[in-house]
Amino acid sequence: MLPFDILEYQDRIKQTKQKMAERSIDVLLITDPANMYYLSGYDAWSFYVHQMLVLIIDESQPLWIGRYMDANGARATTWIYDENVIAYPDEYVHSSTHHPMQFMAEILEQIGQGNRRIGVEMDHYYFTAKAYQTLVSCLPNATFVSGDLLVNQVRMIKSDQEIEYMRGAAKIAENAMLHGVNSIFRGVRECDVAAQISYHSIAGTDQYGGDYPSIVPMLPSGERTGMPHLTWSERAFMEGDSIIIELAGCYKRYHVPLARTVNIGPASEKLDRIAPIVIEGIEKVLDAVKPGITCSEIEEIWRNSIKKYGFEKEARLGYSVGLNYPPDWGEHTASIRRDDHTVLLPNMTFHFIPALWFDHYGIEISETIRVTDTGCETFTDFPRELIIRDGYATPSQDGKIS
């Protein structure tokens, strides 16, 4: 079963071709697995080898080109014709003498595309410098241009079905966060809490089975809470520790991130002071978000809110979020920061994470939001507060924070 109606895929193809025409691109080589999924439905853990979706501006059907052993997966998960699935043999995989882009270039030459303007996704994790060099050398008559973020920009405004998938992801995120918080006690190791979060992220809920998130749980504790991208260790929690949990629910490859900060016993004076400042800033931003406001205007509201307390934030406040594959759940388009003048439109979705990090402590409280016709809504419904845990409490059995 395809995750979307065939008409939705065709509309996505149409929008992508419109952007190709704006950039004078005849052939777009799509190698980002999220963009491949978005346009074709292809969904497999095969992005560790070279693969691509070829979108030709005057052809109705894209081509999938990938590894031979993955071809059946492409036929099973995509809406494109079986004859448009083209496979290269395994001698091209991790070889010192062959490269998959040689094979792909030969296909493009054979179908008469070797002398056209070809767009490639220049700046993402799955398209290497060697891949680009190989294409250029094998297609000397082609003109190569950047097709970077072209599909990502189409993805920014979500369809109603995409929003429903994110609602499912939100339920998974709430459930994983609940179990993560409720597993925090004095003497419990970070890795044990990460295991609880990971289990419930994948198990999901009775209604929504989970998928693997594009990022593993972030779980720094103690002084390491000032280091935002640490995962977990075997360190055991101590009385007085603060713990940051940043996770995401994932459903049908759509993500809803959620972050909260937990303290075992009374919080430090610094953390106790900063928490209400962060929450106040969050609520001011959520009240202001609506269609027509820009990302930079959102950042200004936050900046002014915390500035009166003597604080400032160097990093961006958030980013467009939704569909993705490892290593990131962000969409790499709009960011909530001072110099981003992206205008918000209905059904844009953002992870709003105005965290503050200092040398020896930090705090994260985040919300994933949808821009509505008149304002915004949060996907999750989880206490927006610094969560205080009794280090000697027993786990909750009633679905609430114990």
Side-chain angles (χ1 to χ4, degrees), residues 82-107:
D82 286 356
E83 55 265 34
N84 282 27
V85 172
I86 302 170
Y88 61 79
D90 225 59
E91 64 184 0
Y92 285 89
V93 176
H94 299 160
S95 168
S96 60
T97 58
H98 295 73
H99 195 280
M101 292 299 161
Q102 294 171 313
F103 180 93
M104 296 174 187
E106 290 175 9
I107 296 298

Side-chain angles (χ1 to χ4, degrees), residues 12-20 39 55 150-151:
R12 294 172 180 181
I13 295 284
K14 179 181 178 181
Q15 291 184 62
T16 302
K17 287 184 176 180
Q18 288 171 348
K19 289 193 174 293
M20 289 171 61
L39 294 177
L55 189 58
L150 190 153
V151 182

Side-chain angles (χ1 to χ4, degrees), residues 62-80:
L63 303 175
W64 180 95
I65 308 177
R67 191 179 184 182
Y68 180 82
M69 68 170 60
D70 295 317
N72 281 339
R75 296 184 185 100
T77 61
T78 69
W79 62 274
I80 62 179

Side-chain angles (χ1 to χ4, degrees), residues 278-295:
V278 171
I279 294 167
E280 178 185 328
I282 291 172
E283 291 174 350
K284 284 186 176 181
V285 166
L286 295 181
D287 287 341
V289 170
K290 61 183 178 180
I293 197 171
T294 65
C295 287

Side-chain angles (χ1 to χ4, degrees), residues 20-31:
M20 289 171 61
E22 291 169 7
R23 299 196 196 182
S24 299
I25 293 173
D26 301 315
V27 181
L28 182 62
L29 306 185
I30 299 159
T31 47

Side-chain angles (χ1 to χ4, degrees), residues 73-286:
R75 296 184 185 100
T77 61
T78 69
W79 62 274
I80 62 179
Y81 297 146
D82 286 356
E83 55 265 34
N84 282 27
V85 172
I86 302 170
Y88 61 79
D90 225 59
E91 64 184 0
Y92 285 89
V93 176
H94 299 160
S95 168
S96 60
T97 58
H98 295 73
H99 195 280
M101 292 299 161
Q102 294 171 313
F103 180 93
M104 296 174 187
E106 290 175 9
I107 296 298
L108 292 172
E109 195 71 69
Q110 289 172 14
I111 62 175
Q113 305 300 317
N115 60 352
R116 303 192 80 178
R117 284 178 59 87
I118 299 177
V120 293
E121 296 178 310
M122 294 289 286
D123 187 24
H124 75 82
Y125 310 110
Y126 313 91
F127 187 65
T128 65
K130 187 173 182 179
Y132 180 69
Q133 286 182 330
T134 303
L135 281 173
V136 170
S137 64
C138 292
L139 293 170
N141 297 318
T143 301
F144 285 90
V145 297
S146 176
D148 202 39
L149 298 180
L150 190 153
V151 182
N152 302 60
Q153 291 165 358
V154 176
R155 286 165 44 195
M156 284 188 66
I157 298 178
K158 309 297 185 294
S159 68
D160 291 343
Q161 183 64 72
E162 289 177 292
I163 295 298
E164 285 306 306
Y165 286 158
M166 292 185 73
R167 295 193 197 286
K171 295 300 181 185
I172 295 169
E174 290 172 353
N175 191 48
M177 181 64 78
L178 175 67
H179 284 88
V181 170
N182 281 344
S183 63
I184 291 175
F185 305 101
R186 199 176 88 168
V188 170
R189 300 175 300 172
E190 292 177 359
C191 54
D192 296 320
V193 176
Q196 285 291 318
I197 293 169
S198 298
Y199 172 81
H200 289 284
S201 295
I202 295 173
T205 68
D206 290 343
Q207 187 175 1
Y208 303 103
D211 204 342
Y212 58 91
S214 291
I215 303 177
V216 298
M218 306 294 183
L219 202 75
S221 67
E223 291 192 352
R224 291 156 63 95
T225 53
M227 310 169 194
H229 291 137
L230 299 186
T231 53
W232 59 82
S233 71
E234 58 184 0
R235 177 185 182 273
F237 301 128
M238 300 186 297
E239 186 73 14
D241 270 351
S242 59
I243 303 100
I244 286 176
I245 302 175
E246 184 180 346
L247 54 79
C250 182
Y251 184 66
K252 307 289 188 185
R253 299 307 320 148
Y254 284 82
H255 294 75
V256 168
L258 178 66
R260 289 294 184 268
T261 302
V262 182
N263 212 85
I264 300 178
S268 68
E269 182 179 342
K270 289 180 178 179
L271 196 57
D272 210 32
R273 176 178 176 236
I274 198 71
I277 295 172
V278 171
I279 294 167
E280 178 185 328
I282 291 172
E283 291 174 350
K284 284 186 176 181
V285 166
L286 295 181

